[in-house]
Amino acid sequence: MSSFRFSPRFNFKAPADPAVSFFVFLCLSCFFITSLRPINLSFTRILYVGQVETYEEGGPIKIEGYRFVRTIGLVIAAVGFAASSLASGSASAHAGSAAFSDIVVEEQGLQYGLYVSEPDWLEANPATDADRDGKLSDAELRAGIGAARALVSDGIAVTGDGTLRSGEIEVAAFAERAKTRMIRIDIRYAFDEPVERYMIQYGLLFDTHPDHRNFASIRVGDHSIDQVINASNTILQIGGANASASASDGTHAASSWTAALGTYVGMGMEHIWGGLDHMLFVLALLLNVRGWKPLAATITAFTLGHSVTLVLSALELASLSPFVAEPLIALSILYVAAENLLRDKPTRSRLQVTALFGLVHGFGFAEILHGALSGNIALPLVSFNLGVEIGQLAVVAAALPILWAARRYAGRTAWPRYASGAVGAFGLYWFIERIIENIG
């Protein structure tokens, strides 16, 4: 049975270097200031919201009806940056803890290939990094075979017809999966007699990474099953190689249909709602769109753009490194926000630009699917994209009433300008942060 667990991951992380933090703060503040309407006055002081008194040679002049937000903008920038300094994580929903399992069901046992990322391995087994350089060498991995045994013994339990069996590690070596160097552990679970039903209970890394997922590909004879293991769905039940045809087919049908549909739709929705960068990009697009037809055209352009690259990237027909895609996603937010500030109405090229940035966001969406699709890839891919669209439409549906009310009741206040300034400030911050992370 499929299960879905929402785990937001859009905290902010400030650079550790104080000089860099101060530079980012200045950039944020400057962007807020540029979002405000310029006032060519010699001296101002706030009387109350909506009124400013100015002193010039002719005496005080009252200006009414203008909402003075320069101070508010700077305060928001300072508070937002201070909050980000106290939090950890990233604004991106793309990064996360993921592992892979290739399981082949045999008459009297299982052949289990487990792929674990190097950062996850080092976090679980820090002692294997003998030289403390943050990387694992071939020699360190060979010396850490005991740690691999402990990891598997503590994290994976396999029973056959109710009999618990320990796994024998045949090899632990580096291998490439999802375009990433990972550690592959080949495990053999052997039973004395033919098994009709296996049960695998998976419990790796959930203590330190509640959002951890394991993408499992299970082969039973000519059948292939894809399942996603997460913190709320940790048990796999598999029919043995000699199970009856009707029981086997029923197991495969349930797993490859309802489980895959529900799991991947949920993952797509979570990917949107757990990624503040994607949601702010959509919001930036909406801030300068008026009318249902331009709205539908804008959302369609973004959808077509990210759907194309999501499919191509997930199928490994096209690729864009996360080191390039992540800063570009932040840059897309900054660009659209800046365009909102510089132009009162969208330009004719807005749809083309939206589709182009949609292509970039699609590479970000596809990151989580790299290495996860095998066998029947159509249903997981379509289901994940469907979840992304549902999540995106939910964001639009939630934002539209707020934007409509603001346009109706805010009067002449240039609130879209201020909102675009705030959104653009986040885009600028993330762009600088991701560039610094890539350099480091």
Side-chain angles (χ1 to χ4, degrees):
M1 181 177 180
S2 163
S3 60
F4 166 57
R5 181 176 181 271
F6 176 54
S7 176
R9 300 182 300 281
F10 46 78
N11 298 322
F12 309 104
K13 180 174 60 180
D17 188 344
V20 176
S21 297
F22 181 71
F23 172 72
V24 175
F25 168 72
L26 287 180
C27 291
L28 276 170
S29 301
C30 291
F31 201 94
F32 269 105
I33 292 173
T34 60
S35 71
L36 308 179
R37 189 180 304 171
I39 307 174
N40 297 320
L41 301 174
S42 58
F43 175 74
T44 62
R45 71 181 177 88
I46 301 174
L47 293 181
Y48 54 85
V49 175
Q51 187 179 49
V52 176
E53 186 174 25
T54 303
Y55 293 89
E56 293 182 341
E57 292 183 1
I61 302 173
K62 284 187 178 180
I63 302 175
E64 297 188 17
Y66 175 71
R67 296 187 181 275
F68 194 84
V69 295
R70 184 189 301 270
T71 304
I72 296 175
L74 290 174
V75 170
I76 292 175
V79 172
F81 185 77
S84 72
S85 300
L86 300 175
S88 61
S90 173
S92 170
H94 316 143
S97 173
F100 303 91
S101 295
D102 291 340
I103 304 171
V104 177
V105 178
E106 300 173 348
E107 183 177 358
Q108 291 183 225
L110 298 177
Q111 192 68 38
Y112 195 126
L114 174 66
Y115 292 80
V116 180
S117 70
E118 187 174 359
D120 285 343
W121 169 279
L122 290 175
E123 185 174 354
N125 304 290
T128 57
D129 183 15
D131 55 8
R132 300 292 187 268
D133 63 347
K135 299 178 181 179
L136 200 65
S137 66
D138 291 326
E140 289 172 334
L141 180 57
R142 287 193 298 270
I145 191 68
R149 293 192 183 95
L151 183 73
V152 170
S153 176
D154 294 340
I156 301 176
V158 175
T159 62
D161 293 335
T163 302
L164 180 65
R165 186 67 67 187
S166 298
E168 178 185 350
I169 294 182
E170 297 180 338
V171 64
F174 290 107
E176 184 173 342
R177 184 73 178 258
K179 301 180 180 179
T180 305
R181 191 175 87 144
M182 305 189 78
I183 297 166
R184 176 184 174 115
I185 305 173
D186 287 338
I187 316 160
R188 171 77 178 172
Y189 292 92
F191 291 83
D192 299 330
E193 298 178 355
V195 176
E196 293 188 4
R197 181 160 297 275
Y198 296 95
M199 185 174 73
I200 301 174
Q201 186 166 2
Y202 181 92
L204 290 176
L205 302 173
F206 292 129
D207 291 341
T208 55
H209 296 279
D211 62 343
H212 174 74
R213 292 187 181 92
N214 186 301
F215 296 89
S217 175
I218 307 162
R219 180 169 295 277
V220 186
D222 296 332
H223 299 280
S224 181
I225 308 168
D226 291 325
Q227 288 197 1
V228 180
I229 305 171
N230 56 35
S232 56
N233 182 30
T234 61
I235 296 178
L236 299 177
Q237 297 194 45
I238 311 167
N242 292 330
S244 64
S246 59
S248 177
D249 292 343
T251 300
H252 299 316
S255 299
S256 62
W257 197 154
T258 57
L261 178 64
T263 298
Y264 282 96
V265 166
M267 285 173 54
M269 295 167 63
E270 179 183 353
H271 207 65
I272 285 288
W273 296 339
L276 187 57
D277 48 2
H278 295 308
M279 290 193 289
L280 284 187
F281 179 78
V282 173
L283 178 60
L285 293 175
L286 297 179
L287 286 172
N288 213 14
V289 173
R290 293 175 177 83
W292 291 106
K293 288 185 178 180
L295 172 65
T298 299
I299 297 301
T300 300
F302 182 56
T303 298
L304 290 176
H306 72 64
S307 295
V308 168
T309 48
L310 191 157
V311 172
L312 293 177
S313 181
L315 296 177
E316 299 186 0
L317 298 177
S319 64
L320 184 65
S321 170
F323 294 105
V324 178
E326 295 300 325
L328 285 181
I329 289 173
L331 191 62
S332 71
I333 301 171
L334 177 60
Y335 177 90
V336 175
E339 190 178 52
N340 290 346
L341 293 174
L342 298 174
R343 297 181 174 89
D344 293 332
K345 295 181 180 180
T347 62
R348 294 182 179 179
S349 62
R350 169 59 76 90
L351 291 181
Q352 291 91 323
V353 171
T354 301
L356 179 63
F357 283 135
L359 295 174
V360 177
H361 282 250
F363 284 112
F365 293 150
E367 278 184 44
I368 196 171
L369 296 180
H370 286 162
L373 300 179
S374 61
N376 180 18
I377 64 175
L379 182 60
L381 189 56
V382 172
S383 301
F384 180 80
N385 200 24
L386 177 62
V388 169
E389 303 313 321
I390 293 173
Q392 177 179 290
L393 291 176
V395 172
V396 173
L400 283 180
I402 299 174
L403 298 179
W404 177 82
R407 289 191 179 102
R408 180 168 182 176
Y409 298 111
R412 296 183 178 180
T413 303
W415 65 269
R417 187 178 181 88
Y418 312 144
S420 295
V423 171
F426 281 111
L428 177 63
Y429 176 74
W430 292 330
F431 176 72
I432 296 173
E433 177 195 40
R434 292 170 187 183
I435 290 294
I436 293 173
E437 287 181 347
N438 290 347
I439 294 174

